[in-house]
Amino acid sequence: MTATGRYMGARVRRNEDARLLTGRALFVDDVHLDGMLHVAFLRSDYAHALLRSVDVAAARRRPGVVAAYTAADLGDYWRPGPLLVPPPPIRGLVFHARTQVPLARDRVRHVGEPIAMVVAESRYVAEDALEDIVVDAEPLPVVVDLEAALAPGAPLVHDDLGSNVAAHAVQRKGDYARARAAAHVVIARRFRYDRGAAAAIENRGIVAQWDPRAEELTLWDTTQAPIPIRNGLARLLGLLESQVRVIAPFVGGGFGPKIMMFYPEEVLLPWAALRLGRPLKWIEDRRENFSATTQERGQIHDAEIAVARDGRILGVRDVFLHDTGAYDPYGLTVPINSQCTLLGPYDVPNYASEFTAVFTNKTIVTPVRGAGRQHGVFVIERLLDFAAKQLGIDRAEIRRRNLLRPDQFPHNHEIIFQDSAPLVYDSGDYAPALERARELIGYDGFVQSEQARLRAAGRHVGLGLVCYVEGTGIGPYEGARVTVEPSGQVRVATGVGTQGQGHFTAFAQIVADVLDVEVDQVHVVTGDTREFHWGTGTFASRGAVVAGSACHAAAVRVREKVLELASGLLGAPPDRLELAGGRVRVRGSSDSAIPLGELALRANPLRGAVRPGTEPGLEATAYFGPDRGSTASGVHAMLVEVDPETAQVEIQRYVVVHDCGRVINPMIVEGQIQGGVAHGIGNAFYEQLVYDEAGQLLNASLMDYLLPTATDVPAVEMAHHETPSPLNPVGVKGVGEAGAIPTGAAFAQAVEDALSDHGVEITEIPLSPNRLFELIEAARSARAR
Amino acid sequence: MDQQVPIGVTVNGVRHERAVEPRLLLSDFLRHELGLTGTHVGCEHGVCGACTVLLDGDAVRSCLILAVQADGHELVTVEGLAPPGGGDELHPLQAAFREAHGLQCGFCTPGFLMTLVPFLREHPHPSEPEIREALSGHLCRCTGYQGIVAAVRLAAGSAP
Amino acid sequence: MKPAPFAYHRPATLDEALALLAEHGGEAKPLAGGQSLIPAMNFRLARPAVLVDLNRVAELGYVRAGRDGLQIGAMTRQRAVERSDAVRSAAPLLAEAMPFIAHPQIRNRGTVGGSLAHADPAAELPAVMLALEARFRARGPQGERWIPAGEFFTGILETALGPDELLLEVVVPKSPARTGYAFAELARRRGDYALVGVAARVTLDRRGRCQAARITLFSVGDGPVLAAAAAAMLDGQEPSPEAMRAAADAAAQRDIDPPSDIHASAAYRRRLAAVLTRRALARAVERAAQASQ
């Protein structure tokens, strides 16, 4: 059964909003428990140092302090975290797993790494006590720059490895060398894409409570993956999985880093709560967030494209360095995303891609919205721009000529994606989306006349137009349980956590359509392992795809139960019954309709017998696991005006044509895209984590790390283009990350276009006005020479 | 250093009297002493705006005020906007946020609302640039602000 | 990010406040609007042992148009100055600058005196007061004294105020006839500290020549910088685009020695200083010409 109905594709207002708008929604820091103590962490000021001793005696003596712990206090509990995502089976792959530890024992490898933990009556006192701790550390030489990290004699982040190489992977398709030899033009450039922060407005937080009577540990956690946290903690603590309950309540934005596990705090708070017999709370503050929460990725690409005279891509070669930070618990998801997403919507017959992941003395890198995809998009889109310029082909046209055609789907790219499955695009129809974006931005008029007219008036306006694809909605699986209650209301429980994506509404829409009830009668719970404990989490733009499909499957099973039960009561076969408006009746008959609630009551009798082979209640649990991800795609176009004197850039218009398959709720999808674009604009023009040579972050505050505000982000003009995914019953593809992925590439092209008379070439993101000023000046002096 | 200062504040029309340590931030006082956890804390250095509340009718950052300084003053938090009773009836601005998808994770939302209440009082028919400028003292990582701008327009009854 | 402990006093009168400062010497820090001090305390970058909260000292909050000029009490909220008709008519440059200070939520709390005494080199008010030749009235154990704006700002976050002295009032003198003003700044985002900012005041003579120009720049040095070389180039000159451009270039090249930081290099700051000064001068001259009619 495919998903249809009145709610599919409707702009349904969100079920969760009333709670959020009135301040009633529970976030982790809102949890208050009797006798609760507060935790603060002493974190390393050094990017790299040997720890000679950590003395917490004075901290323990401070009034109001209940406990202070160092690595030595953890005993056998001290162990490195798990490798969260083992690398895919790429032939010849080199991978060194070095995962984070709960508290640094003999060495610290990045600023912010926790060294000691203080438990006190208040957070204020806990922070006072951090100042009592005496650390004797010997600073070591620091690895910051990616290339310097690989130079002979570089200091080593993990000295047992003998080098700072965390991983090395080569993936090939076809024969790039032969393609290159046959090329009309080969264009090679170096591209840089620097680090950013995810910067959810809610920092991380944990509350841990051990109930000795129930022998149950409860953890409120801002995680995107409550179920794996529960299972992992049970193993670590020697408890049954059912003795651990992890609740990810309302979470104030995720964007990737909140899926990382285990953060040191996640293993330390439960341990200490058990030991002390009192509930503990730790709420990350913004300063901690800048060094203790995982970050986006810096990469340096040396890439080249081989093209025919008509602009057709013959092949691409890319060799890149990927900064994984001090540890690599998340495996190779990010660089593999970069590697795979570079291919974009294009027919690239020959591809040679090689990357080296590098350990540095910086905060750990894990996926952040886009998760490395933007780097691949940036490289291929810039290469196409340079090729178009050199060949004298219009930049929209060179893209059109290279798009995969509808008859090429499913399209196997012959390399391996982050989910260990081959990179196969399920469906897509790219040319109409490109055409639509051209229309919406007014491409032809702009390039043919408008730009020149503005330039004559002294104004520097430029256009950017780029394409992307995004592998979304990967496995392994999610599940859901759907229950019709005697009140006639429907309850849905699923395991994915929710951080603002509208799951409470989108899942309700899917279920409401199957059971034909009002959407506000469907109550969704997510992220509480007591409610549902099978699943993985919210990542890779997979919530709607995988959990949504599981909700659909469970609702279909409940529907079958409803009809079967009603069939007996109404004396008609199920196929003669109709379920509408929350009631079942014989089709065509105006009387004897039975409300769902009554059926639920009858399905759970207090006396009598439930027939063998049937189950009580109108409830079903179902799972969905796609073989591989579904491929979303889109085109972004933007107009910018640049003031060459001040290097200030103003985004005048922003157009997105996107294909995320079937749209469950366009309001939510548009919100995801608009938000993603804002994140992408931040990446492109505002946000950069600036580290000095000593590995110190120079802008660890929201004063100096610049998130875009309402005056920096334009209204995005959008068009939906739907090619349903054949891989799931709802036909959806993911959309959570899409907006952020091609923004940097579009921005670079637009700014370069605006400054075409200055001869500026942009091969790096982010691009601050200061950096743009430098590029303009460099181009000026190059011309003068 | 264990100075405790008695204070009396009126929050959402209810009078509270407590003794507080001088260094206690107003944001922590509201959240953890009074249990009004709708006011959120995102940066504790006055940039993100999540903790914005009304102090004698003006929007202020509660992370940049000491609880002792609120002594004798009137505060309004997000819990004070909708009609009392805890039902689903919303303040018109809250209803507009829901209608226009002005929130996603909802963490920053209470701060936005508290800035917008006095803003709309002073600018009943704001232009889009005025709206964006009014929002610029708040950070939202989810929405890209467009839904919020639309919600303000809707609340102000101005055409899109 | 919680402040370290401190002893707290909230005097109701100026005399009480001064007595507390005298009693605690350098240990004590006056708390005005707190919009810079409290974040620094939350980061534990500032950790005063004693806070003397001036927010109950009612006598320091006022804006008055007096015979000697515009008088602004040190504890006047920035938002009140922004909304003041007296400020708009007596010191339009100040009125123009006010909305650039952070955001309304900050200005609702932040005070004029607090910002001036904090003396952040990237802040708007010091540069505006220097451009307007304001005079600062301060009082300490030795009594009251007047400090001209040109002597008030002595370095990064440093002023001529002693540790036991309080800024009470700022007086902005009346401006001569045929005077125009302009304020300009470039920041990364609305409300951020400026990468570079300029306050300009130009007085024309009866023939439309520049009789006196006063240009200050901020976020380009240890404090607000008076662009003396630029002003001198305009003295007695026809304020032509060329003359203003030359003066602006002089401001950028000769009057300032800007720092480099993660947001802007010194070279970029010089460029912005030249462009903003040129634009501000043009607007100031235009307004002065209008005022001359």
Side-chain angles (χ1 to χ4, degrees):
Chain A
M1 173 173 181
T2 57
T4 53
R6 60 183 164 141
Y7 289 121
M8 192 68 194
R11 292 181 179 272
V12 178
R13 294 182 315 173
R14 301 201 316 172
N15 284 344
E16 54 267 54
D17 284 354
R19 278 175 286 170
L20 290 163
L21 284 161
T22 52
R24 300 200 311 269
L26 183 85
F27 291 86
V28 170
D29 192 22
D30 304 342
V31 174
H32 180 81
L33 303 169
D34 284 343
M36 189 164 73
L37 298 170
H38 298 266
V39 174
F41 288 91
L42 181 73
R43 297 179 183 280
S44 177
D45 290 331
Y46 296 109
H48 201 192
L50 292 176
L51 286 183
R52 294 198 188 291
S53 68
V54 181
D55 182 355
V56 295
R60 284 180 178 143
R61 284 196 300 270
R62 177 179 283 270
V65 170
V66 175
Y69 303 113
T70 67
D73 298 309
L74 299 178
D76 290 346
Y77 192 68
W78 188 97
R79 70 191 80 166
L83 175 62
L84 191 51
V85 186
I90 295 171
R91 200 182 317 155
L93 176 85
V94 174
F95 179 72
H96 302 294
R98 290 294 180 277
T99 57
Q100 71 290 348
V101 299
L103 291 172
R105 196 161 54 181
D106 40 23
R107 193 187 259 236
V108 287
R109 295 186 172 86
H110 68 86
V111 170
E113 193 166 5
I115 295 172
M117 169 180 177
V118 171
V119 183
E121 297 290 344
S122 80
R123 173 71 180 230
Y124 290 73
V125 172
E127 290 191 18
D128 295 345
L130 296 183
E131 301 175 359
D132 301 333
I133 298 172
V134 182
V135 176
D136 180 11
E138 178 189 328
L140 294 172
V142 172
V143 180
V144 175
D145 178 77
L146 280 183
E147 290 174 288
L150 297 180
L156 297 177
V157 179
H158 299 278
D159 48 7
D160 58 310
L161 287 178
S163 89
N164 289 313
V165 172
H168 180 253
V170 180
Q171 295 217 68
R172 282 199 188 88
K173 170 191 187 183
D175 182 347
Y176 176 72
R178 189 186 299 176
R180 189 182 202 280
H184 181 68
V185 167
V186 175
I187 287 165
R189 292 287 191 284
R190 164 164 275 218
F191 300 97
R192 291 173 183 273
Y193 210 116
D194 205 2
R195 276 189 182 223
I201 306 302
E202 179 198 38
N203 294 309
R204 290 185 298 121
I206 296 161
V207 175
Q209 181 186 35
W210 171 250
D211 179 344
R213 292 190 182 81
E215 295 191 328
E216 185 183 76
L217 176 75
T218 305
L219 195 75
W220 288 263
D221 188 348
T222 52
T223 183
Q224 294 172 227
I227 295 168
I229 295 281
R230 177 194 79 140
N231 299 347
L233 271 182
R235 266 198 307 283
L236 281 171
L237 295 164
L239 297 170
L240 296 170
E241 290 184 352
S242 51
Q243 283 180 287
V244 182
R245 178 184 183 190
V246 176
I247 303 167
F250 280 99
V251 173
F255 313 114
K258 287 178 180 169
I259 191 128
M260 158 70 184
M261 67 178 273
F262 287 95
Y263 278 106
E265 304 87 0
E266 277 170 330
V267 297
L268 292 169
L269 263 85
W271 174 84
L274 272 158
R275 218 174 143 93
L276 296 170
R278 289 177 69 177
L280 302 184
K281 176 188 272 191
W282 167 74
I283 300 298
E284 184 185 54
D285 64 34
R286 185 56 64 178
R287 175 166 44 188
E288 290 181 285
N289 182 265
F290 274 105
S291 63
T293 289
T294 59
Q295 297 174 348
E296 292 195 47
R297 53 280 136 179
Q299 291 181 359
I300 302 172
H301 290 249
D302 286 302
E304 61 179 51
I305 189 167
V307 286
R309 188 187 296 270
D310 64 358
R312 267 184 315 112
I313 301 170
L314 301 178
V316 176
R317 178 167 183 275
D318 182 26
V319 179
F320 68 98
L321 302 178
H322 167 76
D323 180 358
T324 194
Y327 302 95
D328 57 357
Y330 217 95
L332 297 177
T333 297
V334 175
I336 289 179
N337 274 341
S338 308
Q339 187 166 55
C340 289
T341 310
L342 185 145
L343 294 167
Y346 307 116
D347 191 347
V348 180
N350 301 286
Y351 183 41
S353 173
E354 172 182 350
F355 69 79
T356 304
V358 182
F359 287 119
T360 58
N361 291 118
K362 287 183 266 181
T363 294
I364 302 171
V365 168
T366 68
V368 173
R369 198 173 204 168
R373 295 178 182 86
Q374 44 270 73
H375 304 58
V377 172
F378 186 68
V379 170
I380 187 70
E381 294 297 316
R382 293 272 64 205
L383 285 173
L384 282 171
D385 290 335
F386 301 144
K389 200 173 284 176
Q390 188 149 342
L391 293 166
I393 301 174
D394 173 83
R395 60 204 138 123
E397 178 60 17
I398 198 170
R399 287 173 166 78
R400 194 191 62 76
R401 287 181 193 172
N402 283 293
L403 293 176
L404 289 165
R405 300 181 312 275
D407 63 326
Q408 288 176 285
F409 291 92
H411 187 80
N412 189 344
H413 274 297
E414 300 170 32
I415 59 174
I416 292 179
F417 191 43
Q418 53 143 313
D419 59 351
S420 296
L423 180 66
V424 177
Y425 294 179
D426 56 340
S427 64
D429 185 12
Y430 301 141
L434 177 61
E435 192 48 42
R436 185 91 179 94
R438 284 176 56 144
E439 277 168 35
L440 285 172
I441 199 78
Y443 183 86
D444 293 348
F446 182 81
V447 297
Q448 285 160 19
S449 57
E450 179 72 1
Q451 186 172 34
R453 192 185 63 72
L454 290 165
R455 184 69 59 80
R459 293 178 59 188
H460 290 75
V461 182
L463 186 150
L465 176 80
V466 300
C467 306
Y468 74 98
V469 300
E470 181 198 2
T472 71
I474 59 174
Y477 78 98
E478 289 298 334
R481 183 180 65 246
V482 172
T483 311
V484 178
E485 296 205 2
S487 62
Q489 304 198 64
V490 180
R491 188 163 168 91
V492 180
T494 177
V496 294
T498 190
Q499 307 88 35
Q501 299 90 337
H503 293 150
F504 298 97
T505 309
F507 296 164
Q509 286 177 252
I510 292 171
V511 171
D513 274 348
V514 174
L515 297 176
D516 202 26
V517 295
E518 298 294 321
V519 71
D520 61 5
Q521 298 299 297
V522 181
H523 305 271
V524 177
V525 280
T526 69
D528 180 346
T529 60
R530 178 177 280 175
E531 296 280 348
F532 203 84
H533 60 256
W534 297 103
T536 50
T538 305
F539 56 93
S541 297
R542 67 193 289 276
V545 180
V546 189
S549 296
C551 290
H552 181 260
V556 167
R557 297 255 302 269
V558 169
R559 183 187 169 94
E560 286 163 10
K561 286 189 178 183
V562 165
L563 294 178
E564 197 173 321
L565 180 63
S567 162
L569 295 169
L570 292 169
D575 60 4
R576 283 199 50 218
L577 301 181
E578 70 176 2
L579 171 54
R583 288 161 178 270
V584 184
R585 60 162 58 85
V586 180
R587 192 170 288 121
S589 137
S590 57
D591 49 28
S592 68
I594 311 181
L596 278 178
E598 193 182 324
L599 287 168
L601 207 54
R602 290 190 183 232
N604 187 22
L606 290 172
R607 296 289 184 277
V610 171
R611 278 186 290 118
T614 64
E615 295 165 355
L618 297 179
E619 179 171 288
T621 300
Y623 300 90
F624 180 77
D627 291 338
R628 54 179 192 272
S630 50
T631 312
S633 63
V635 182
H636 285 208
M638 73 199 295
L639 282 179
V640 302
E641 178 159 8
V642 183
D643 178 345
E645 274 196 316
T646 61
Q648 297 289 308
V649 181
E650 187 195 327
I651 300 173
Q652 294 184 331
R653 284 185 65 203
Y654 203 108
V655 165
V656 172
V657 179
H658 74 98
D659 182 350
C660 59
R662 288 282 298 283
V663 172
I664 301 169
N665 185 330
M667 180 185 85
I668 289 174
V669 165
E670 286 161 14
Q672 290 290 313
I673 290 172
Q674 173 80 36
V677 168
H679 203 144
I681 289 171
N683 281 170
F685 195 49
Y686 293 95
E687 303 177 37
Q688 183 169 19
L689 292 167
V690 183
Y691 286 88
D692 70 9
E693 290 164 3
Q696 300 287 338
L697 183 58
L698 299 179
N699 53 343
S701 83
L702 291 179
M703 288 283 278
D704 284 322
Y705 183 82
L706 308 175
L707 298 181
T709 72
T711 45
D712 307 315
V713 180
V716 176
E717 305 159 54
M718 279 176 234
H720 305 277
H721 181 77
E722 292 193 12
T723 55
S725 173
L727 301 178
N728 64 71
V730 193
V732 294
K733 302 173 177 179
V735 72
E737 299 171 85
I741 290 172
T743 321
F747 185 77
Q749 190 194 104
V751 169
E752 195 176 284
D753 186 40
L755 294 172
S756 58
D757 58 342
H758 286 64
V760 169
E761 185 173 282
I762 295 166
T763 53
E764 64 190 273
I765 288 290
L767 192 72
S768 66
N770 184 61
R771 181 65 187 138
L772 186 56
F773 165 76
E774 288 172 2
L775 293 175
I776 294 170
E777 291 305 297
R780 191 193 310 278
S781 50
R783 279 203 314 278
R785 260 189 264 120
Chain B
M1 279 295 175
D2 283 315
Q3 189 186 1
Q4 294 279 322
V5 181
I7 64 170
V9 294
T10 302
V11 186
N12 304 329
V14 179
R15 171 92 179 161
H16 300 270
E17 295 189 1
R18 293 283 193 286
V20 298
E21 202 187 350
R23 63 169 163 166
L24 183 69
L25 299 174
L26 179 59
S27 46
D28 286 336
F29 175 75
L30 290 169
R31 292 178 48 74
H32 304 308
E33 297 287 324
L34 302 186
L36 294 167
T37 54
T39 299
H40 295 156
V41 171
C43 75
E44 291 180 303
H45 53 282
V47 181
C48 79
C51 70
T52 302
V53 299
L54 301 187
L55 177 79
D56 298 334
D58 291 329
V60 296
R61 311 287 207 219
S62 64
C63 74
L64 298 190
I65 295 177
L66 304 170
V68 287
Q69 296 187 284
D71 185 22
H73 292 281
E74 293 239 4
L75 295 161
V76 180
T77 68
V78 70
E79 288 92 344
L81 292 185
D88 273 353
E89 198 185 333
L90 299 176
H91 181 280
L93 182 63
Q94 292 170 322
F97 264 65
R98 185 174 184 208
E99 197 65 41
H101 196 30
L103 68 158
Q104 289 182 23
C105 81
F107 191 81
C108 67
T109 311
F112 275 94
L113 294 172
M114 300 321 289
T115 279
L116 288 167
V117 166
F119 170 74
L120 284 171
R121 205 169 48 221
E122 286 171 38
H123 304 83
H125 303 292
S127 66
E128 172 146 346
E130 283 172 336
I131 294 171
R132 287 188 179 272
E133 192 177 325
L135 301 180
S136 69
H138 290 266
L139 298 176
C140 170
R141 192 56 148 171
C142 296
T143 64
Y145 305 101
Q146 191 53 35
I148 302 175
V149 172
V152 181
R153 284 182 171 288
L154 190 63
S158 52
Chain C
M1 288 183 57
K2 311 297 183 189
F6 52 83
Y8 176 77
H9 300 278
R10 51 176 185 206
T13 67
L14 183 57
D15 289 340
E16 270 180 68
L18 288 165
L20 283 162
L21 288 178
E23 180 187 337
H24 294 286
E27 298 267 275
K29 182 99 183 153
L31 173 62
Q35 303 300 284
S36 297
L37 178 57
I38 293 183
M41 289 169 63
N42 290 356
F43 275 112
R44 299 201 178 198
L45 297 171
R47 37 193 323 155
V50 179
L51 267 192
V52 178
D53 184 351
L54 303 178
N55 285 276
R56 304 272 156 155
V57 183
E59 60 205 278
L60 293 182
Y62 55 85
V63 177
R64 286 194 285 259
R67 234 185 348 192
D68 300 334
L70 184 72
Q71 301 164 305
I72 303 174
M75 283 299 291
T76 308
R77 307 280 173 201
Q78 291 159 0
R79 196 76 164 145
V81 173
E82 179 184 357
R83 288 171 167 164
S84 158
D85 291 332
V87 170
R88 212 165 300 129
S89 58
L93 176 62
L94 177 58
E96 188 165 283
M98 291 313 295
F100 287 89
I101 302 171
H103 298 281
Q105 302 87 340
I106 301 294
R107 300 197 292 275
N108 278 333
R109 198 70 197 155
T111 63
V112 170
S115 173
L116 294 170
H118 183 56
D120 192 307
E124 290 82 2
L125 286 177
V128 169
M129 294 306 175
L130 185 60
L132 293 175
E133 297 178 273
R135 292 178 302 134
F136 296 6
R137 183 159 64 90
R139 192 188 297 172
Q142 317 303 325
E144 217 164 273
R145 63 177 177 138
W146 286 91
I147 309 169
E151 293 167 22
F152 186 80
F153 304 101
T154 55
I156 298 174
L157 308 182
E158 283 179 10
T159 68
L161 292 174
D164 47 8
E165 230 175 355
L166 278 177
L167 175 63
L168 307 186
E169 181 185 69
V170 185
V171 176
V172 178
K174 281 186 174 158
S175 57
R178 299 182 302 277
T179 295
Y181 306 84
F183 181 87
E185 73 169 52
L186 264 182
R188 284 304 321 266
R189 302 171 302 183
R190 176 92 213 163
D192 281 350
Y193 277 117
L195 298 173
V196 172
V198 181
R201 188 181 78 173
V202 176
T203 306
L204 300 179
D205 66 18
R206 289 182 189 285
R207 293 184 298 173
R209 289 199 195 140
C210 183
Q211 181 177 305
R214 205 171 155 87
I215 304 158
T216 59
L217 292 103
F218 59 101
S219 208
V220 294
D222 293 350
V225 177
L226 185 66
M233 288 180 69
L234 289 170
D235 270 354
Q237 299 295 310
E238 188 78 31
S240 66
E242 296 73 29
M244 286 189 280
R245 178 181 290 272
D249 288 345
Q253 296 306 324
R254 288 161 54 197
D255 284 317
I256 60 172
D257 181 14
S260 289
D261 59 31
I262 60 166
H263 298 303
S265 65
Y268 184 43
R269 285 204 157 90
R270 282 195 202 276
R271 162 64 64 80
L272 293 180
V275 175
L276 291 181
T277 304
R278 197 181 79 219
R279 292 175 185 174
L281 280 173
R283 225 167 56 237
V285 165
E286 191 186 319
R287 285 173 175 165
Q290 281 165 5
S292 309
Q293 282 159 10

